[in-house]
């Protein structure tokens, strides 16, 4: 049987309602489970706030540590790109017998351009890492402030 326009729309609306109710009930069960699993949270909220502040500090430390590692990785990658560009330029230089040909000059300018782009990309990516780390730290501070008041 072929559905007409009205029944198709009614079917779509019904699916959306069913999906919404399912999601809301799942959220409600998860929400209730969080309170029932830790009844001490209702009896002594101050203990949890101290733990939350400690967790916030750990998150900030982890974010700083990971940002440092990421920046080191970015710098290492930029250095590898530069080394590869120089190695390729040296290979072209050796293959052309140091006669100052067009290919040799082109290889050297390409190597210089690649080094410049590697530095720019590295700096831009490290700045993005710093911005992300700062955003995480601000968010954690905001959450700490919200719970401390």
């Amino acid at each position: 049987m072929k559905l007409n326009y009205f029944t198709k729309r009614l079917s779509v609306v019904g699916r959306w309602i069913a999906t919404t109710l399912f999601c809301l009930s799942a959220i409600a069960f998860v929400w209730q489970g969080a309170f029932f699993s830790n009844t001490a949270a209702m009896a002594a909220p101050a203990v949890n706030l101290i733990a939350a502040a400690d967790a916030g500090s750990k998150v900030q430390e982890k974010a700083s540590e990971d940002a440092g590692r990421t920046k080191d990785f970015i710098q290492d990658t930029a250095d590898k790109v530069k080394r590869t560009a120089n190695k390729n330029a040296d290979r072209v230089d050796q293959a052309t017998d140091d006669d100052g040909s067009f290919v040799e000059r082109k290889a050297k300018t390409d190597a210089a351009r690649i080094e410049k782009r590697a530095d720019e990309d590295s700096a831009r990516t490290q700045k993005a890492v710093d911005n992300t780390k700062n955003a995480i730290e601000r968010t954690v501070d905001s959450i700490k402030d919200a719970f401390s008041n």
Side-chain angles (χ1 to χ4, degrees):
M1 181 172 122
K2 197 171 184 182
L3 296 176
N4 63 16
Y5 179 79
F6 178 71
T7 53
K8 282 183 185 178
R9 294 294 175 208
L10 189 61
S11 173
V12 169
V13 169
R15 273 187 261 136
W16 274 103
I17 290 173
T19 304
T20 304
L21 286 175
F22 177 75
C23 289
L24 287 175
S25 64
I27 290 170
F29 283 124
V30 169
W31 187 288
Q32 290 300 320
F35 286 118
F36 289 137
S37 67
N38 188 4
T39 55
M42 292 184 268
V47 174
N48 289 337
L49 291 178
I50 293 170
D54 186 42
S57 297
K58 287 181 182 178
V59 167
Q60 286 178 328
E61 290 171 10
K62 182 71 173 154
S64 294
E65 180 182 328
D66 288 347
R69 286 185 194 156
T70 304
K71 289 169 79 173
D72 289 342
F73 173 75
I74 292 166
Q75 191 60 44
D76 288 344
T77 305
D79 291 341
K80 287 178 185 177
V81 168
K82 290 178 194 177
R83 257 182 290 166
T84 303
N86 286 329
K87 188 173 15 173
N88 289 341
D90 289 342
R91 285 180 183 164
V92 170
D93 192 29
Q94 289 173 357
T96 56
D97 298 328
D98 296 329
D99 61 355
S101 68
F102 170 75
V103 175
E104 186 178 338
R105 289 191 308 269
K106 176 81 169 121
K108 287 181 181 180
T109 57
D110 285 349
R113 186 180 320 118
I114 289 171
E115 284 185 30
K116 181 182 171 203
R117 289 289 304 273
D119 286 336
E120 291 170 354
D121 291 346
S122 173
R124 186 172 48 246
T125 307
Q126 288 180 6
K127 184 177 178 186
V129 168
D130 284 338
N131 291 342
T132 303
K133 179 188 71 118
N134 292 338
I136 290 170
E137 289 178 350
R138 281 193 311 269
T139 303
V140 170
D141 286 338
S142 298
I143 292 170
K144 282 182 182 177
D145 290 344
F147 281 117
S148 66
N149 290 337

